[in-house]
C-alpha cells in the first residue's frame, strides 16, 4: 500500500504503516523506521530481534536514534561529522524514493556507513540520499550496533552482532522495499571504510546470500581480526569496569559508564598503526572463513562469484590518520626508522620501498611509510579481490582530487560527498574544504548510479594489471605524491 495524506506519503511495511515527508523536489523520504527491536536490556548483546508491530500510523519524518558510541576526538571531530541522536530504537532505516508505489521496481542502493565500527551513523548529512532518488534510484541507509555492543567478543553472546544487524536490515529491504517502489532483486550494497569491510564479510556470509545483486567497496578491504585482538579490547574494558569479561556482566553496567570505558581503550587503537580493536571475526554462524580467503580462493570461483564489484581507494588514504594530528612531522623526524617499521608491519620488502622512492622522489619518510601501510591494508587486498577468478566483472577506481585543506591530499573518506553528490551540504566542506568541484561529483555520482542500474559504471573491467579509473587527478602513480596544496590559501584551514 502506498498513499498520500495531506501531502505526506504513507507506506505499509511488514510492521505497520509509516508516514514520511515529500521534499521540494518531489522525493518521498522516510526516516527512522525500525528494522529490529531496540537492543536494550537482555537484547543489548543478543542477535537482532524482529521489531514490534504497531497500530495506526508511525511518523517517519526525522532520523531515528543513532547507535550508542563515543565521539571522535579532536582534531578528527572537526573533519568528520558524526551526529548523536539519543534514544533506544537505534536499529532503524531511512528510505529516499522518487516513486513510493508498489510496482515501480526501481533499482535500490543500500548504504553501510563507516567509522571504524565504533562511530558513524546513517544521519550524517553527507549521506543524504536525495541525489540518488533524483536519478531514479531508491536509496536506503541504516544504523547498526557499534564498538563493544556490536563487535565485542564474549563467551556468552553471539559474535559479529553488528554484522547480524546489517543482515537484518538487508532482510528488511528484501521484505519491504517493493512497497517503497524498489526492486528487491536489484539491490546494490555500498559502503566506505568499515562499511566496505562489512560488505566484504557480507559477500562471504552464507546468511547474506541473495540479499543483494551488486556491491561497492570504498576504501575498505575484506578481512577479519584475530579473536585475541578483539578479546583484548573487552578484557581492557572489563579491567577498567572491574567486572567479568562476559556479556552478562557488561549488560549490568550503565550505558554511559560502558561507553566511557570504551572511549578509554579506544585511545590505544589506531586504524593505520594497529593495536587491539573492535572488529569482525571468523566464526561458523556468520563468517565461516576469512572473507579475503573466501573471495579469492585459487582454482575455483570464490564466494559471491556472480556479484559484480566496484571497488577502489583514494590516493592518500593514510593522511586522514596522520596529517591532522601532526604525526607526519613526527614520523619524518624518525627518518629511516619510520620506513623500516612500516615495512615490517606491512610485510613489504625493500624493493617496495625502492619503487615508492622512485615514484615519489620528494616524499619524506612519513609519506613512504603511509603508502606502504595503505597498500598493505587497502590497495593490495582490493586488487587481489578484483583480480580473482570470478564469474562477474570487477571495476576498480582511484579518487585523486586533493582536499582544499592543506596536508590532507586525497585522503580517506574524501570521496563521500562526491559519491552522494552532496557537496552543497555544509558538512561536506569539513573534509573537502571550500570550492570542491561539482563537475567531479556529478561524474562520480553518475558512475555509482550506472553501476546500480546495469552493473557497468562506465569503464572497462579490471584485467589484473591495468590502471584503475582515476577520478579527479592524474594517473595513480602521479596522484600518490600530490600534497593537496594547490587550493586558494586564503580559504583553507591548516592542519597541525
Amino acid at each position: 500500500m502506498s498513499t498520500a495524506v495531506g501531502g505526506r506519503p504513507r507506506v505499509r511495511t511488514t510492521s505497520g504503516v509509516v508516514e514520511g515527508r515529500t521534499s521540494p523536489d518531489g522525493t518521498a523520504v522516510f526516516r527512522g523506521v525500525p528494522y529490529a527491536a531496540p537492543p536494550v536490556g537482555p537484547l543489548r548483546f543478543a542477535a537482532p530481534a524482529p521489531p514490534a508491530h504497531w497500530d495506526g500510523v508511525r511518523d517517519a519524518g526525522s532520523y531515528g536514534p543513532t547507535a550508542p558510541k563515543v565521539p571522535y576526538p579532536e582534531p578528527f571531530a572537526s573533519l568528520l561529522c558524526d551526529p548523536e541522536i539519543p534514544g533506544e530504537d537505534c536499529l532503524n532505516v531511512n528510505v529516499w524514493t522518487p516513486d513510493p508505489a508498489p510496482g515501480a521496481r526501481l533499482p535500490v542502493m543500500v548504504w553501510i556507513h563507516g567509522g571504524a565500527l565504533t562511530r558513524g551513523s546513517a544521519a550524517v548529512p553527507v549521506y543524504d540520499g536525495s541525489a540518488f532518488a533524483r536519478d531514479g534510484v531508491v536509496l536506503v541507509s541504516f544504523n547498526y550496533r557499534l564498538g563493544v555492543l556490536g563487535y565485542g567478543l564474549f563467551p556468552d553472546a553471539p559474535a559479529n552482532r553488528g554484522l547480524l544487524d546489517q543482515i537484518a536490515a538487508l532482510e528488511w529491504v528484501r521484505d519491504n522495499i517493493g512497497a517503497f517502489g524498489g526492486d528487491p532483486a536489484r539491490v546494490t550494497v555500498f559502503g566506505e571504510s568499515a562499511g566496505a569491510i562489512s560488505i566484504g564479510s557480507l559477500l562471504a556470509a552464507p546468511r547474506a546470500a541473495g540479499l543483494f545483486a551488486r556491491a561497492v567497496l570504498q576504501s575498505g578491504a575484506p578481512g577479519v581480526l584475530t579473536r585475541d585482538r578483539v578479546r583484548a579490547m573487552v578484557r581492557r574494558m572489563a579491567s577498567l569496569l572491574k567486572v567479568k569479561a562476559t556479556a552478562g556482566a557488561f549488560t549490568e553496567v550503565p550505558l554511559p559508564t560502558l561507553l566511557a570505558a570504551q572511549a578509554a581503550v579506544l585511545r590505544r587503537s589506531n586504524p593505520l598503526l594497529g593495536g587491539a580493536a573492535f572488529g569482525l571475526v571468523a566464526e561458523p554462524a556468520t563468517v565461516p572463513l576469512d572473507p579475503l580467503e573466501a573471495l579469492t580462493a585459487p582454482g575455483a570461483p570464490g564466494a559471491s562469484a556472480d556479484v559484480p564489484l566496484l571497488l577502489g581507494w583514494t590516493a592518500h588514504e593514510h593522511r586522514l590518520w596522520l596529517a591532522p594530528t601532526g604525526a607526519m612531522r613526527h614520523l619524518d623526524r624518525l627518518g629511516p626508522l619510520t620506513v623500516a617499521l612500516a615495512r615490517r608491519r606491512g610485510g613489504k620488502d625493500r624493493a617496495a620501498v625502492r619503487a615508492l622512492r622512485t615514484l615519489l622522489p620528494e616524499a619524506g619518510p612519513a609519506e613512504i611509510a603511509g603508502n606502504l601501510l595503505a597498500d598493505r591494508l587497502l590497495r593490495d587486498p582490493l586488487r587481489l579481490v578484483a583480480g580473482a577468478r570470478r564469474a562477474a566483472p570487477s571495476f576498480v577506481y582511484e579518487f585523486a582530487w586533493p582536499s582544499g585543506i592543506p596536508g590532507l591530499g586525497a585522503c580517506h573518506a574524501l570521496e563521500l560527498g562526491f559519491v552522494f553528490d552532496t557537496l552543497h551540504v555544509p558538512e561536506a566542506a569539513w573534509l573537502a574544504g571550500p570550492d570542491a568541484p561539482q563537475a567531479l561529483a556529478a561524474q562520480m555520482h553518475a558512475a555509482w548510479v550506472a553501476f546500480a542500474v546495469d552493473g557497468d559504471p562506465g569503464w572497462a573491467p579490471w584485467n589484473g594489471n591495468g590502471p584503475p579509473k582515476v577520478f579527479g587527478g592524474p594517473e595513480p602513480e602521479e596522484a600518490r605524491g600530490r600534497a593537496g596544496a594547490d587550493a586558494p590559501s586564503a580559504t583553507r584551514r591548516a592542519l597541525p
Side-chain angles (χ1 to χ4, degrees):
M1 178 200 78
S2 175
T3 60
V5 177
R8 294 184 174 182
R10 290 182 177 180
V11 169
R12 180 175 296 279
T13 73
T14 52
S15 298
V17 177
V18 292
E19 182 177 84
R21 301 291 187 273
T22 301
S23 64
D25 66 359
T27 296
V29 187
F30 302 81
R31 295 182 173 94
V33 181
Y35 69 83
V40 296
L43 295 181
R44 178 182 279 186
F45 294 100
H53 291 259
W54 61 83
D55 296 323
V57 177
R58 182 184 180 109
D59 183 67
S62 59
Y63 287 114
T66 53
K69 57 189 172 180
V70 296
Y72 285 109
E74 290 294 349
F76 301 104
S78 298
L79 298 170
L80 302 170
C81 178
D82 193 13
E84 183 177 352
I85 303 172
E88 296 181 342
D89 215 350
C90 65
L91 300 183
N92 55 68
V93 304
N94 314 294
V95 181
W96 287 258
T97 175
D99 187 0
R105 313 295 287 184
L106 297 171
V108 180
M109 296 190 75
V110 179
W111 172 246
I112 303 180
H113 71 78
L117 299 177
T118 56
R119 298 177 172 94
S121 77
V124 173
V126 174
Y127 304 156
D128 184 281
S130 298
F132 284 104
R134 175 199 67 202
D135 294 331
V137 174
V138 178
L139 192 285
V140 180
S141 62
F142 63 85
N143 298 325
Y144 55 94
R145 279 175 286 182
L146 304 168
V148 69
L149 300 170
Y151 298 94
L153 195 56
F154 298 97
D156 54 340
N160 300 331
R161 293 172 301 280
L163 189 74
L164 291 174
D165 292 345
Q166 294 171 12
I167 292 172
L170 288 169
E171 290 172 339
W172 184 93
V173 170
R174 176 196 62 198
D175 298 339
N176 291 278
I177 206 63
F180 292 85
D183 185 347
R186 301 173 69 195
V187 173
T188 298
V189 290
F190 71 128
E192 185 268 345
S193 193
I197 294 170
S198 298
I199 290 171
S201 288
L202 290 169
L203 286 163
R207 285 189 54 179
L211 293 177
F212 53 90
R214 301 183 181 104
V216 183
L217 289 77
Q218 300 171 214
S219 298
V224 289
L225 302 182
T226 65
R227 301 178 77 86
D228 285 346
R229 187 175 174 188
V230 180
R231 282 198 189 101
M233 295 294 270
V234 173
R235 289 169 180 159
R236 290 175 183 176
M237 288 185 63
S239 177
L240 287 173
L241 295 167
K242 296 179 170 50
V243 300
K244 293 181 178 179
T246 65
F250 276 44
T251 298
E252 298 301 317
V253 177
L255 188 57
T257 305
L258 194 68
L259 292 178
Q262 177 176 297
V265 300
L266 282 174
R267 293 190 193 104
R268 300 169 62 184
S269 179
N270 183 289
L272 192 66
L273 302 179
F278 294 113
L280 293 150
V281 296
E283 60 88 33
T286 49
V287 189
L289 293 174
D290 183 315
L292 185 61
E293 178 184 343
L295 291 167
T296 60
S304 302
D306 59 344
V307 176
L309 301 178
L310 171 58
L311 37 86
W313 49 81
T314 70
H316 309 115
E317 295 278 1
H318 57 283
R319 293 194 192 172
L320 179 63
W321 299 299
L322 298 181
T325 60
M328 292 193 72
R329 290 201 307 270
H330 296 305
L331 292 172
D332 277 339
R333 292 191 192 107
L334 293 175
L337 179 61
T338 292
V339 177
L341 292 174
R343 186 174 68 81
R344 181 180 301 175
R345 184 167 193 85
K348 297 288 187 176
D349 57 20
R350 288 184 173 84
V353 177
R354 288 195 297 270
L356 272 173
R357 291 197 185 282
T358 300
L359 200 62
L360 309 174
E362 303 299 320
E367 190 70 19
I368 296 295
N371 273 291
L372 289 172
L373 292 172
D375 281 346
R376 174 67 177 87
L377 295 172
L378 292 172
R379 301 184 189 103
D380 290 349
L382 287 174
R383 287 190 187 100
L384 189 61
V385 171
R389 283 184 59 185
R390 307 179 70 254
S394 295
F395 302 88
V396 181
Y397 73 91
E398 176 168 285
F399 182 81
W401 179 80
S403 169
I405 300 175
L408 283 185
C411 69
H412 189 72
L414 181 59
E415 87 283 7
L416 293 173
F418 295 82
V419 168
F420 278 85
D421 195 8
T422 51
L423 294 180
H424 61 280
V425 173
E427 291 80 0
W430 290 16
L431 198 60
D435 304 320
Q438 176 57 39
L440 180 58
Q443 179 193 11
M444 199 168 191
H445 174 77
W448 265 237
V449 169
F451 183 72
V453 171
D454 60 18
D456 183 354
W459 64 89
W462 180 255
N463 63 11
N465 55 19
K469 163 69 177 178
V470 179
F471 286 99
E475 289 305 304
E477 58 270 18
E478 298 174 54
R480 195 73 60 82
R482 294 184 68 183
D486 52 354
S489 58
T491 56
R492 291 178 297 171
R493 284 187 294 158
L495 291 173

